[in-house]
Amino acid sequence: MKRFTFRLQGLLHLREAMERMHGRALGHAEQHAHGRRNESAESDSQLADVQAQAGDDGAVRPAGMWHAFSLSVEAARTRAEADAKALADADAAHAAELQRFSEARIARRALERLRDIKVSEWGVDVVRAERNEMDEVARRRSAQQQDSQ
């Protein structure tokens, strides 16, 4: 009997390549989200420091200094908000890439399961064909022995 060939093997190779590609993209998205998380934590820390410096500690300061403090606080707050938005965007991109990676993995596994089923069915067919062939040989021998007697 001829050897097993899985007609969808080319498609399986493509699915494996897609899964690897999405895996790399997922890794990049994780690194990006991690970097954004660090930047967001740093800007939150800087905002807290600036707010602590600008806090009313009872010291007498010129009016211009209060204005400078308020501008510093506003700039730190704006940066913290921008970093928080960038973090949210990075987390959303990571979640989307994780979804694409999961879908690619499911597609590859489905094809692998189909291939395994087809290999199993092919093995059963091979055994059945060999058994039929042996039965045919035995039947012919039996017929020859009966003819010779």
Side-chain angles (χ1 to χ4, degrees):
M1 184 146 195
K2 63 182 181 178
R3 67 184 195 92
F4 175 76
T5 55
F6 184 56
R7 295 179 193 263
L8 299 176
Q9 189 64 40
L11 182 60
L12 179 58
H13 288 308
L14 288 174
R15 294 293 184 180
E16 290 168 345
M18 289 295 291
E19 183 182 6
R20 283 191 303 275
M21 182 188 75
H22 285 299
R24 284 190 299 273
L26 178 60
H28 292 304
E30 286 175 356
Q31 288 176 341
H32 183 70
H34 181 71
R36 290 296 182 181
R37 199 167 286 110
N38 289 341
E39 290 175 11
S40 181
E42 182 181 327
S43 64
D44 288 343
S45 174
Q46 288 175 352
L47 175 60
D49 290 345
V50 169
Q51 286 175 333
Q53 288 176 350
D56 189 9
D57 57 2
V60 177
R61 294 191 177 112
M65 186 165 285
W66 288 112
H67 182 66
F69 280 152
S70 68
L71 289 177
S72 296
V73 168
E74 189 58 36
R77 182 177 291 121
T78 301
R79 180 171 180 235
E81 289 171 357
D83 285 346
K85 182 181 180 330
L87 174 60
D89 292 345
D91 284 341
H94 177 262
E97 198 55 53
L98 181 61
Q99 179 67 29
R100 284 189 288 273
F101 176 73
S102 297
E103 290 170 358
R105 176 167 278 177
I106 288 169
R108 177 191 53 85
R109 285 184 177 170
L111 280 174
E112 285 177 345
R113 282 193 300 272
L114 178 62
R115 181 190 60 200
D116 293 343
I117 289 168
K118 293 295 183 182
V119 165
S120 177
E121 290 173 353
W122 175 79
V124 168
D125 290 344
V126 166
V127 168
R128 186 176 297 131
E130 288 174 353
R131 189 177 324 130
N132 288 341
E133 188 176 321
M134 286 189 282
D135 289 347
E136 181 64 26
V137 168
R139 189 185 60 77
R140 285 183 190 162
R141 282 187 185 164
S142 175
Q144 285 176 354
Q145 286 177 355
Q146 288 177 359
D147 288 343
S148 65
Q149 291 178 359

